[in-house]
């Protein structure tokens, strides 16, 4: 799948790491286990709202902001 059409979740899954050395890797590991994560979304606001209202595994929204910036840079 071309990276331009890859969802945020699809990109995030490329950061999964069983050792979870950094916060984005930990985020990816937790999102993988979250059956309700908006997997097809490419929309910042939709994902941000979901994370703020429906999860407890993200210690800071700054982690999402950093991951989103990396996602955008990869597109």
């Amino acid at each position: 799948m071309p990276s331009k059409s890859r969802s945020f979740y699809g990109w995030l899954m490329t950061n999964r790491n069983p050792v979870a050395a950094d916060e984005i890797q930990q985020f990816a590991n937790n999102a993988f286990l979250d059956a309700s994560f908006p997997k097809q979304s490419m929309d910042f606001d939709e994902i941000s709202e979901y994370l703020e209202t429906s999860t407890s595994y993200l210690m800071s929204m700054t982690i999402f902001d950093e991951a989103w910036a990396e996602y955008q840079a990869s597109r």
Side-chain angles (χ1 to χ4, degrees), residues 38-67:
K39 294 175 175 64
Q40 302 306 315
S41 182
M42 298 169 68
D43 182 73
F44 177 89
D45 292 331
E46 177 185 7
I47 299 168
S48 179
E49 181 178 342
Y50 173 77
L51 292 169
E52 289 175 347
T53 62
S54 302
T55 67
S56 60
Y57 56 77
L58 198 59
M59 297 306 290
S60 167
M61 286 304 288
T62 302
I63 299 165
F64 169 63
D65 292 338
E66 291 170 7

Side-chain angles (χ1 to χ4, degrees), residues 4-21:
K4 289 185 185 216
S5 63
R6 184 176 7 183
S7 69
F8 175 75
Y9 179 83
W11 172 85
L12 187 62
M13 291 302 99
T14 66
N15 288 279
R16 283 181 57 217
N17 182 340
V19 179

Side-chain angles (χ1 to χ4, degrees), residues 30-43:
N30 288 321
F32 175 74
L33 299 173
D34 181 355
S36 298
F37 195 96
K39 294 175 175 64
Q40 302 306 315
S41 182
M42 298 169 68
D43 182 73

Side-chain angles (χ1 to χ4, degrees), residues 3-4 6 11 68-75:
S3 63
K4 289 185 185 216
R6 184 176 7 183
W11 172 85
W68 185 266
E70 289 185 27
Y71 167 62
Q72 289 297 308
S74 75
R75 298 177 75 200

